[in-house]
């Protein structure tokens, strides 16, 4: 059997936040906060935000979180990130949404609705500087939702291309994109719970 794994997204370290605790060697020594729901990986909130939104967005999240004024808006943002993250890391959910445009549309609508509610709760007249940070973070989150939505079309096309190329060398039944085959080949070598194989090729001669 042979698996092809998605290349992991590059993680660019965020710039140190002023006042953040640091260890003797200069490395960040802040607690690994985990407020994003549906996170069944070893990733901290920081690592998830870096992957989905980028380094600048983490600076914004961390700065706003330190104010302890975020409340419901923060929870809604974390729910958006949690929904995206769990689908990206769960082949069964990904396949289900890929096969059901209606359920996919409902999820995307819910993500946009949460972001709209965050936008609606903004109070620029009370603190224009803070509101500018919230606006910048919202823009990054909307971009993540748009990329998430576009991912399904790109995935469908990539699977078609892979099946076309690999089909020149093996039978169609040996090319597996289903969740069960992919999950069965998640190992320490694929950074399990984070990176999932894109496709699994079955060698019929070795199957008992």
């Amino acid at each position: 059997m042979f698996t092809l794994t998605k290349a992991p997204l590059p993680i660019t370290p965020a710039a140190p936040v002023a006042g953040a605790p640091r260890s003797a060697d200069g490395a960040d020594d802040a607690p690994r906060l985990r407020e994003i729901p549906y996170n069944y990986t070893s990733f901290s909130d920081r690592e998830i935000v870096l992957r989905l939104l980028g380094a600048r967005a983490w600076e914004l999240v961390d700065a706003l979180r330190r104010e302890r004024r975020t409340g419901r808006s923060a929870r809604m943002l974390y729910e958006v990130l949690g929904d995206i993250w769990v689908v990206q890391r769960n082949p069964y959910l990904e396949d289900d949404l890929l096969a059901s445009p209606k359920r996919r549309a409902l999820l995307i609508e819910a993500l946009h609705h949460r972001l709209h509610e965050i936008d609606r709760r903004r109070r620029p007249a009370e603190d224009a500087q803070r509101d500018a940070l919230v606006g910048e973070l919202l823009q990054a989150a909307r971009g993540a939702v748009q990329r998430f939505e576009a991912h399904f079309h790109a995935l469908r096309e990539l699977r078609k291309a892979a099946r076309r190329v690999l089909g020149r060398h093996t039978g169609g039944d040996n090319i597996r994109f289903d969740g069960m085959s992919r999950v069965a080949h998640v190992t320490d070598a694929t950074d399990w719970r984070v990176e999932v194989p894109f496709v699994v090729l079955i060698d019929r001669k070795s199957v008992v």
Side-chain angles (χ1 to χ4, degrees):
M1 298 183 186
F2 180 73
T3 63
L4 296 178
T5 306
K6 298 176 183 176
L9 298 175
I11 299 179
T12 305
V17 178
R22 302 176 69 83
S23 60
D25 61 2
D28 290 336
D29 198 25
R32 292 172 60 84
L33 297 172
R34 295 170 62 89
E35 296 182 67
I36 294 176
Y38 317 125
N39 176 19
Y40 306 115
T41 73
S42 61
F43 274 38
S44 64
D45 288 353
R46 175 181 180 273
E47 290 167 308
I48 293 175
V49 171
L50 284 172
R51 283 210 167 200
L52 299 183
L53 305 183
R56 171 58 180 166
W58 171 251
E59 294 177 3
L60 297 172
V61 168
D62 195 55
L64 292 169
R65 179 154 54 183
R66 287 172 183 277
E67 295 181 5
R68 296 299 178 187
R69 293 168 51 191
T70 51
R72 179 166 173 75
S73 293
R75 287 195 297 273
M76 287 190 289
L77 175 63
Y78 297 151
E79 287 170 359
V80 169
L81 299 180
D83 282 345
I84 294 175
W85 182 250
V86 73
V87 171
Q88 287 187 352
R89 302 305 164 216
N90 188 317
Y92 295 103
L93 293 179
E94 185 178 58
D95 285 349
D96 181 68
L97 292 174
L98 189 64
S100 176
K102 183 177 180 179
R103 279 196 291 271
R104 188 166 72 243
L106 289 173
L107 174 58
I108 298 299
E109 181 182 358
L111 298 179
H112 281 299
H113 173 73
R114 291 193 188 104
L115 296 181
H116 174 74
E117 286 298 304
I118 295 174
D119 194 33
R120 192 176 63 84
R121 294 168 63 86
R122 294 169 63 181
R123 298 291 184 268
E126 297 178 6
D127 190 337
Q129 184 175 3
R130 182 179 187 277
D131 181 72
L133 299 182
V134 173
E136 187 179 351
L137 184 57
L138 268 176
Q139 184 177 2
R142 290 190 181 105
V145 174
Q146 291 170 357
R147 290 190 296 274
F148 178 67
E149 183 176 10
H151 160 76
F152 291 96
H153 173 73
L155 179 61
R156 186 182 301 277
E157 294 303 310
L158 185 58
R159 286 185 178 184
K160 288 180 181 178
R163 188 174 293 279
R164 185 167 57 250
V165 172
L166 296 173
R168 300 169 187 165
H169 308 283
T170 188
D173 291 343
N174 296 338
I175 305 171
R176 304 288 180 85
F177 294 104
D178 63 284
M180 181 175 293
S181 296
R182 295 164 63 203
V183 167
H185 288 79
V186 171
T187 68
D188 290 339
T190 64
D191 195 2
W192 79 292
R193 292 193 178 186
V194 176
E195 300 302 336
V196 179
F198 166 64
V199 62
V200 176
L201 300 181
I202 304 296
D203 180 4
R204 287 289 181 179
K205 296 180 180 179
S206 65
V207 176
V208 178

